[in-house]
Amino acid sequence: MDRSMSIYNDTSEHQFAINGHSPIMTFTHEMALDSSFGLSYTLGFSNSDIYFDNKYFGTKLFFVSINPQLFLTRRYNFEYYIKLRIGVSYYDNRLDQIPSAILRRIYPTKFQVFTGFTIAGINYLISDHFALNAELSIWSPETLNFGLSYRFMDQKKIKRGPEIRKSIYG
């Protein structure tokens, strides 16, 4: 993105600048359906200071997604999962007023529907109720998340690893 902007600024009489960008703040609530599947939703927000010819054009990003989740590995204190992310994003900006087709293609405006994936989700349980969490998501928007998870249910009741195979195969 930075490279495309420097090329644009080098070849145009108009200057485009991103003077600041906040990290994407998210809140996720997850419900376990069983020991292998879960369903969650995510709410997110981000802010950018975009200027074109020294005029402020925004932008704020809001998004919500519904995320079916599959646990690939569950051990005593480690979980690895993937998610499908289906949602809607809204960009609150005035970029459609910029007289440049190039910039309008690079930066979306208003509502966008997206389908993306969390290709790597990891929980490392540090107690029965707290876990360190990391996720890498693509196309929904692209994020690398780090956080802390709190589990309301008792982790000792969740079947993991050999216990799952034993309950399935007898």
Side-chain angles (χ1 to χ4, degrees), residues 68-84:
Q69 179 173 318
L70 172 66
F71 288 94
L72 299 176
T73 302
R74 290 188 110 162
R75 298 286 180 234
Y76 173 71
N77 63 346
F78 177 80
E79 298 172 339
Y80 176 77
Y81 58 88
I82 57 174
K83 287 182 187 178
L84 174 65

Side-chain angles (χ1 to χ4, degrees), residues 55-126:
K55 293 180 186 170
Y56 180 75
F57 282 89
T59 185
K60 293 174 178 48
L61 164 66
F62 302 93
F63 68 91
V64 61
S65 66
I66 296 174
N67 318 309
Q69 179 173 318
L70 172 66
F71 288 94
L72 299 176
T73 302
R74 290 188 110 162
R75 298 286 180 234
Y76 173 71
N77 63 346
F78 177 80
E79 298 172 339
Y80 176 77
Y81 58 88
I82 57 174
K83 287 182 187 178
L84 174 65
R85 299 177 62 135
I86 303 164
V88 175
S89 62
Y90 176 74
Y91 290 86
D92 181 26
N93 57 36
R94 298 180 302 141
L95 296 178
D96 54 344
Q97 298 174 5
I98 292 177
S100 169
I102 294 170
L103 293 177
R104 284 194 302 273
R105 268 196 311 268
I106 293 173
Y107 289 96
T109 59
K110 306 306 173 198
F111 284 99
Q112 302 271 320
V113 176
F114 62 82
T115 303
F117 297 97
T118 296
I119 57 175
I122 297 170
N123 284 323
Y124 181 76
L125 284 80
I126 53 178

